[in-house]
């Protein structure tokens, strides 16, 4: 089987463990993870992530973007820098990511910070539209607000709603606009009943797999850094939730992911 981990911070995993990039890629390949998308959170990540993907162009792809969690650090010049990298059109730069809205941290919800979150989101969505790239979207307690942006701007390549934890109705609205739903380790926990139910009902063509490496550990690996190879654990849980055969699930999700990010 072939898997595509569509959302990782592989640079942060490497930094935290000290492992070589070749070792991380080899371990992923042993678990049939053939392709990995590395997403940025800050301007300072951009150059390193591009260098990583250049070393393994058949396995590694990347998305550059400014994450809402760090909105207080982002400057307008960082948006200019992002566009400069997009203009250079690196082959394996296949997304604008990770971008979105964050509504669970009080200090990021002041009028000033929320306004800045919205401005940076819109600016990056417009870059995605201009350069015809998909986006990988962070949305914590902000699905409805985020939806108003993506519906209004109508991106030609849409993208993925990462780490989704909303309702079926919310997911369905994004899917109807052409977005995929990122399926991560949360579905490996029996207690995550709402998310498991949503994932079981959505069209298979609307799903992709992700780990959020080194975050969001799967069940059985709590307290450990997450890794791309753990996408296989999420796949097992997904197969338990779906009526389709594992072979069909793997094939459709692989094609979904490659079409979006490779």
């Amino acid at each position: 089987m072939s898997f595509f981990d569509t959302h990782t911070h592989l640079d942060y995993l490497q930094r935290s463990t000290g492992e070589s990039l070749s070792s991380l890629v080899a371990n992923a390949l042993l678990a049939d993870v053939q392709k990995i998308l590395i997403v940025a959170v800050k301007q300072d990540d951009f150059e390193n992530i591009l260098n990583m993907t250049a070393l393994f162009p058949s396995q590694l792809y990347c998305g550059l973007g400014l994450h809402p969690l760090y909105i207080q650090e982002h400057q307008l010049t960082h948006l200019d820098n992002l566009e400069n990298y997009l203009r250079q059109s690196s082959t394996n730069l296949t997304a604008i990511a990770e971008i979105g809205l964050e509504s669970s941290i009080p200090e990021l919800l002041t009028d000033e910070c929320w306004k800045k979150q919205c401005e940076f989101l819109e600016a990056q969505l417009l870059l995605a539209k201009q350069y015809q790239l998909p986006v990988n979207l962070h949305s914590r307690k902000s699905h409805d607000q985020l939806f108003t942006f993506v519906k209004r701007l109508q991106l030609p390549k849409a993208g993925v709603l990462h780490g989704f934890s909303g309702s079926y109705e919310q997911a369905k609205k994004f899917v109807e606009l052409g977005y995929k739903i990122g399926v991560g380790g949360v579905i490996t926990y029996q207690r995550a009943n709402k998310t498991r139910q949503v994932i079981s009902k959505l069209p298979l063509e609307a799903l992709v797999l992700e780990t959020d490496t080194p975050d969001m550990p799967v069940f059985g690996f709590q307290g450990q850094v997450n890794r791309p190879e753990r996408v296989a654990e999420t796949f097992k849980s997904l197969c338990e939730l779906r009526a389709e055969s594992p072979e069909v699930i793997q094939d459709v999700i692989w094609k979904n992911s490659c079409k979006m990010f490779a």
Side-chain angles (χ1 to χ4, degrees), residues 37-90:
L37 185 76
I38 311 172
V39 299
V41 296
K42 303 178 184 180
Q43 174 191 250
D44 293 346
D45 301 334
F46 294 173
E47 194 70 28
N48 182 40
I49 287 175
L50 284 168
N51 290 338
M52 291 171 73
T53 62
L55 291 171
F56 294 90
S58 297
Q59 288 86 34
L60 302 182
Y61 299 80
C62 69
L64 303 185
L66 302 169
H67 196 298
L69 275 176
Y70 304 96
I71 195 64
Q72 292 164 311
E73 299 177 33
H74 300 327
Q75 305 297 325
L76 290 176
T77 54
H78 299 177
L79 287 170
D80 295 335
N81 195 27
L82 172 60
E83 183 166 14
N84 286 336
Y85 280 108
L86 297 174
R87 198 177 292 122
Q88 293 169 26
S89 190
S90 169

Side-chain angles (χ1 to χ4, degrees), residues 114-130:
W114 184 252
K115 181 173 182 287
K116 189 177 177 185
Q117 279 200 58
C118 293
E119 289 171 348
F120 270 68
L121 170 63
E122 177 149 347
Q124 292 178 97
L125 290 173
L126 288 171
L127 286 174
K129 193 168 189 175
Q130 178 181 346

Side-chain angles (χ1 to χ4, degrees), residues 221-240:
F221 296 90
Q222 298 95 316
Q224 301 179 32
V225 293
N226 204 3
R227 298 173 175 275
E229 51 265 34
R230 305 268 161 78
V231 80
E233 300 297 322
T234 301
F235 175 72
K236 290 177 188 174
S237 293
L238 180 61
C239 290
E240 294 169 2

Side-chain angles (χ1 to χ4, degrees), residues 5-28 33 35-41 45 48-49 52-53 55-56 59-63 98 211-215 225-229:
D5 187 349
T6 64
H7 192 107
T8 76
H9 303 278
L10 199 66
D11 52 331
Y12 283 76
L13 176 64
Q14 185 182 22
R15 194 177 306 168
S16 66
T17 65
E19 296 171 73
S20 68
L21 182 59
S22 59
S23 174
L24 293 174
V25 171
N27 288 337
V33 182
K35 296 184 184 295
I36 298 169
L37 185 76
I38 311 172
V39 299
V41 296
D45 301 334
N48 182 40
I49 287 175
M52 291 171 73
T53 62
L55 291 171
F56 294 90
Q59 288 86 34
L60 302 182
Y61 299 80
C62 69
E98 177 180 356
T211 61
D212 202 20
T213 293
D215 301 318
V225 293
N226 204 3
R227 298 173 175 275
E229 51 265 34

